[in-house]
Amino acid sequence: MNTATQSELAQEEPPTACGEGILPHRPAWIEIDLARLRHNYQVINQDKPKPLKILSVVKDEAYGHGALHVARAALAAGASFLGLVTLEEAMRLRDHGLRTRMLLFGERQEEELPWCVEHDLTVCVNDRRMVEKLGRIAARAGKRAPVHLKINTGMNRYGVRWSEALSLAQAVGANKALELEGVMSHFSMSDEMDKTFALQQLARFNEVLSAMAARGIAVKYRHLCNSGGFLDLPQAHFDMVRIGMLQHGVYPSKVCRRIAGIEPTMTVKARVAGIQHLDKDDVVGYGMKYRAPSARRIAIIPVGYGDGYPRLRNQGCVLIGGRRAPVVGGVAMDAFMVDTTDLPEVRLQEEVVLMGRQGADEISAHEVAQWKNSVSYDVLAGWRARLPRIHVNGNQDP
Ligand SMILES: *Cc1c(COP(=O)(O)O)cnc(C)c1O
């Protein structure tokens, strides 16, 4: 299974002992199955209308999956754009030779704009000041910079309020150094049963688009949908959808539409680092939060909240030999303990799954999110860089 990791790591990392795989990696890691990623894209491509374009959202290291690997797979599967948030994220991909169109979400600092223009990073514009500054910088560079107009249709995060969007679109149109290439907005809630607000946002978006069309302002890419919108709101697809979560095989919510064949690409693994035999009334871990009701056999998992594992107490579980072993005591920064008394004899170094599938069972990102009192997005993006990412089945790369 662990094929192609050596050469891929070497491509991605500077030549250090860790990067070249000289150091043995710690007995805890995150496996990303690139074959599943490619398969998810096949499934998405078959599901979507043919002309609908895809922007692959690879911000925050593609939600912890590795932006470079995910971007390459998405582009090979036909994605037209990459979506990022910080200038560093985008430049890192440029440094690795990715020449694709990249759209930066969020707000830009003035000092970032010359970099964006020079490296062809497309920005979203939210106000006139930005239009003027970007226009000046593009003109000085002798370029006509494409921009996407970001409309606030009710999320009230970034963007120009829908009622003022037309005049901003006209301001962009009047600027010779800018090209109004895209118009976009973002849903506050697209993946829950109740679509009332999403439909209201869609109506506001459509209102702006008609006002623009009435004045002969044409745009190439109109886009509103994230993964939830892609799945559940086909009437909001327009020209392009922005897919983040779904490419990783995790649904944005429990109630959105499912597509057969989508599979999670991430598995969080570790090896049993120790075994302790407890007598009745022995306690476990910091704060003595667990007291053994009888003789117990526990296994030590070398992962903790310093790796992004939720700081649980006597809650949650791992998979060992395809069966669930409950967490006992509190999770520490670097380790936690699980009760394996009822499992067949657990061996030192045995592979344990903290999130993902093992045998017939699976601990999903949604399940971990419940333990963490959070959402699956936070769970995926919350695994820290301290856990090495091992990309497997990447052998289709040239
Ligand atoms: C993060 C983000 C997305 C991706 O959302 P998913 O639910 O992960 O598909 C799309 N659009 C914008 C503007 C985003 O910030």
Side-chain angles (χ1 to χ4, degrees), residues 173-199:
N175 195 313
K176 294 277 170 290
L178 301 180
E179 178 203 349
L180 183 60
E181 182 194 47
V183 174
M184 67 184 286
S185 186
H186 193 47
F187 284 125
S188 335
M189 196 170 97
S190 59
D191 52 13
E192 296 299 323
M193 292 298 242
D194 185 353
K195 304 287 195 231
T196 315
F197 194 65
L199 293 174

Side-chain angles (χ1 to χ4, degrees), residues 185-235:
S185 186
H186 193 47
F187 284 125
S188 335
M189 196 170 97
S190 59
D191 52 13
E192 296 299 323
M193 292 298 242
D194 185 353
K195 304 287 195 231
T196 315
F197 194 65
L199 293 174
Q200 189 174 357
Q201 287 189 273
L202 171 61
R204 289 167 177 171
F205 192 64
N206 270 323
E207 218 175 278
V208 178
L209 293 176
S210 336
M212 287 174 57
R215 281 155 188 83
I217 305 173
V219 283
K220 194 161 167 203
Y221 300 109
R222 300 161 299 165
H223 49 110
L224 177 56
C225 286
N226 51 7
S227 294
F230 167 65
L231 291 167
D232 285 358
L233 292 157
Q235 68 273 51

Side-chain angles (χ1 to χ4, degrees), residues 33-93:
D33 189 333
L34 295 172
R36 286 193 202 160
L37 178 64
R38 289 191 299 271
H39 183 71
N40 289 340
Y41 263 106
Q42 273 175 17
V43 170
I44 292 169
N45 280 336
Q46 277 162 15
D47 182 78
K48 77 174 181 64
K50 265 219 166 58
L52 182 65
K53 300 218 176 302
I54 290 184
L55 177 151
S56 166
V57 179
V58 293
K59 63 190 180 192
D60 197 9
E61 281 298 332
Y63 304 6
H65 294 67
L68 188 57
H69 286 93
V70 175
R72 283 184 178 145
L75 295 171
S80 315
F81 269 84
L82 298 173
L84 299 133
V85 169
T86 72
L87 179 61
E88 287 82 357
E89 289 172 344
M91 287 305 294
R92 183 158 178 272
L93 295 183

Side-chain angles (χ1 to χ4, degrees), residues 261-332:
I262 289 282
E263 285 193 66
T265 62
M266 177 187 283
T267 310
V268 182
K269 295 183 171 182
R271 294 189 185 283
V272 172
I275 292 169
Q276 299 280 357
H277 295 273
L278 309 184
D279 292 335
K280 181 175 184 305
D281 287 331
D282 279 354
V283 293
V284 172
Y286 286 125
M288 300 167 291
K289 297 297 179 192
Y290 175 84
R291 184 176 296 272
S294 58
R296 302 267 107 189
R297 188 179 65 234
I298 63 171
I300 321 306
I301 313 299
V303 173
Y305 61 78
D307 300 300
Y309 197 79
R311 195 171 162 276
L312 305 169
R313 275 181 187 155
N314 298 321
Q315 189 204 0
C317 62
V318 301
L319 297 174
I320 307 183
R323 295 180 52 194
R324 290 179 173 233
V327 174
V328 288
V331 170

